[in-house]
């Protein structure tokens, strides 16, 4: 289980490359709009934006199949959009409106979609990690060939429940892909100051879990690593760890001024390593799209995002009676009988 980094790039068609560009751009524009609505006071509480990290979830969704599951932390809007959840429902939930995925009761950190197999953002650091293993346990029990993507950050990687989960996942050979979205600053402390391991994924060695480090600013590298992890899990070999090294441009949340790093550092990443600009360059240099084509895509994406904001603003506040709904399951799923 020697240390390794993914260098292989998958062969993708021009249409696939355009799809990744659109998906990442949708997340970027959506999050920019969410930031605007937060500034206007239409989104309250916490709001953690995914700007800069778009290649992580888009690359892994490209390696997923129908029926695979995903669960993540509070920085979750990008994951929702990447797995196909409706931008209208996501934005309405951010604003606490009835048309939201949790009917206005969950806000930024607590949305779910049974149809898209999205099992939520979770506000407690690392709480979703054992839950992700539980989802994978259900698939192992049913022998249905599905895998679970369990996302958490570099800060969460220092929580004890992560390693209890690693132990059980390895012991039971669960089809769980542990995705460490290492954006280098956790809530506001650099990895160098908070973590003794230079390579966090190598902690899986203690449990016999293989893994690798991945360039999280390169959507094709993420897709290639995702395909390796998925194949490993589907073949019954147990869990796999992907430490995807990425970078968020905004603070931990909208209330974070991010004074723990320089503006120059952030701008350098934007200028030299932006994941969307990298795909844009591939499309142009490969003559898969023209500047006009990309402008048209951006126009279409902005229209979708603006419509989601309008939908959120027009959706009513939840009725007080809604407070008492969805507390208990009212029906037992047929597959559980």
């Amino acid at each position: 289980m020697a240390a390794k980094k993914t260098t292989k790039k998958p062969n993708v068609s021009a249409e696939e490359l355009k799809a990744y560009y659109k998906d990442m751009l949708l997340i970027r524009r959506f999050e920019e709009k969410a930031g605007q609505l937060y500034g206007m006071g239409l989104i309250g509480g916490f709001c953690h934006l995914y700007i800069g990290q778009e290649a992580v979830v888009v690359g892994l969704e490209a390696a997923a199949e129908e029926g695979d599951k995903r669960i993540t932390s509070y920085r979750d809007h990008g994951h929702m959009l990447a797995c196909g959840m409706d931008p209208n429902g996501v934005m309405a939930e951010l604003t606490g409106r009835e048309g939201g995925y949790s009917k206005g009761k969950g806000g930024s950190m607590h949305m779910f979609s049974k149809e898209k197999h999205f099992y939520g953002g979770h506000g407690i650091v690392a709480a979703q990690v054992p839950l992700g293993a539980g989802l994978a346990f259900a698939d192992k029990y049913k022998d249905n060939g599905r895998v679970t993507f369990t996302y958490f950050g570099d800060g969460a990687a220092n929580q004890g429940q992560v390693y209890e989960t690693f132990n059980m996942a390895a012991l039971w050979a669960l089809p769980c892909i542990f995705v460490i979205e290492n954006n280098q600053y956790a809530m506001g402390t650099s990895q160098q100051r908070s973590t003794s391991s230079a390579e966090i994924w190598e902690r899986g060695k203690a449990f016999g879990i293989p893994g690798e480090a991945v360039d999280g600013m390169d959507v094709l590298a993420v897709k290639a690593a995702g395909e390796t992890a998925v194949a490993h899990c589907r073949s019954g070999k147990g869990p796999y760890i992907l430490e995807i090294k990425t970078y968020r441009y905004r603070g931990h949340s909208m209330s974070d001024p991010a004074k723990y790093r320089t503006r120059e550092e952030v701008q350098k990443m934007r200028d030299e390593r932006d994941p969307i600009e990298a795909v844009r360059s591939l499309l142009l240099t490969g003559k898969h799209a023209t500047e006009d084509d990309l402008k048209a895509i951006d126009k279409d994406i902005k229209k979708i995002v603006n419509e989601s904001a309008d939908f959120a603003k027009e959706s009513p506040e939840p009725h007080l009676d809604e407070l008492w709904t969805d507390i208990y399951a009212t029906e037992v799923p047929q597959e559980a009988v």
Side-chain angles (χ1 to χ4, degrees), residues 69-72 111-114 117-122 135:
K69 300 176 177 66
R70 62 278 297 157
I71 188 169
T72 189
M111 284 183 248
F112 304 83
S113 173
K114 183 178 179 182
H117 306 287
F118 180 79
Y119 289 88
H122 295 264
L135 292 168

Side-chain angles (χ1 to χ4, degrees), residues 41 67 116 127 168 215 222 295:
K116 298 298 180 181
M168 287 188 286
D215 180 0
V222 175
K295 287 179 182 178

Side-chain angles (χ1 to χ4, degrees), residues 55-327:
V56 178
V57 72
V58 170
L60 291 182
E61 284 295 335
E65 293 182 1
E66 177 60 37
D68 290 340
K69 300 176 177 66
R70 62 278 297 157
I71 188 169
T72 189
S73 67
Y74 38 75
R75 197 178 311 281
D76 52 4
H77 316 152
H79 302 72
M80 300 171 197
L81 297 174
C83 74
M85 290 170 66
D86 183 3
N88 287 3
V90 178
M91 194 69 86
E93 189 59 43
L94 291 180
T95 56
R97 304 302 178 93
E98 191 177 84
Y101 267 98
S102 295
K103 302 178 184 177
K105 298 187 293 184
S108 174
M109 294 190 281
H110 303 289
M111 284 183 248
F112 304 83
S113 173
K114 183 178 179 182
E115 293 73 25
K116 298 298 180 181
H117 306 287
F118 180 79
Y119 289 88
H122 295 264
I124 304 301
V125 175
Q128 73 279 8
V129 179
L131 296 177
L135 292 168
F137 180 85
D139 289 329
K140 170 91 173 181
Y141 186 81
K142 295 175 183 177
D143 193 23
N144 59 14
R146 302 296 97 208
V147 305
T148 296
F149 293 86
T150 299
Y151 294 85
F152 58 102
D154 47 302
N158 290 324
Q159 292 283 322
Q161 61 189 311
V162 171
Y163 301 97
E164 293 180 78
T165 303
F166 281 1
N167 183 55
M168 287 188 286
L171 188 64
W172 298 334
L174 301 183
C176 188
I177 301 170
F178 295 106
V179 182
I180 305 169
E181 294 196 73
N182 185 353
N183 62 27
Q184 304 177 44
Y185 283 99
M187 287 183 67
T189 304
S190 68
Q191 181 185 342
Q192 290 75 17
R193 292 179 59 211
S194 65
T195 305
S196 62
S197 311
E199 301 288 335
I200 301 175
W201 72 268
E202 291 187 333
R203 295 180 179 183
K205 288 182 178 181
F207 306 94
I209 303 176
E212 58 190 284
V214 189
D215 180 0
M217 306 306 275
D218 182 339
V219 71
L220 298 185
V222 175
K223 180 178 186 288
E227 289 172 345
T228 298
V230 165
H232 176 91
C233 288
R234 284 202 218 284
S235 65
K237 295 178 181 177
Y240 199 90
I241 299 173
L242 294 176
E243 180 185 353
I244 305 188
K245 300 190 178 187
T246 182
Y247 194 88
R248 56 171 166 79
Y249 297 160
R250 301 290 184 92
H252 171 67
S253 69
M254 286 296 296
S255 60
D256 173 19
K259 292 182 179 179
Y260 41 81
R261 58 185 181 180
T262 65
R263 292 183 179 180
E264 290 76 16
E265 176 186 309
V266 179
Q267 192 59 50
K268 182 177 174 64
M269 289 295 292
R270 281 185 176 272
D271 292 342
E272 299 178 7
R273 300 285 290 122
D274 187 81
I276 299 175
E277 285 301 312
V279 176
R280 185 177 187 277
S281 178
L282 287 174
L283 288 169
L284 291 173
T285 57
K287 301 189 185 304
H288 305 306
T290 65
E291 288 281 4
D292 287 341
D293 293 334
L294 299 183
K295 287 179 182 178
I297 290 172
D298 197 15
K299 183 179 179 180
D300 290 342
I301 294 295
K302 286 178 178 176
K303 183 174 183 291
I304 292 169
V305 169
N306 287 333
E307 287 175 351
S308 75
D310 291 339
F311 176 82
K313 293 173 187 177
E314 293 165 5
S315 183
E317 299 276 352
H319 192 274
L320 282 177
D321 291 344
E322 188 60 45
L323 183 65
W324 306 107
T325 64
D326 301 319
I327 297 174

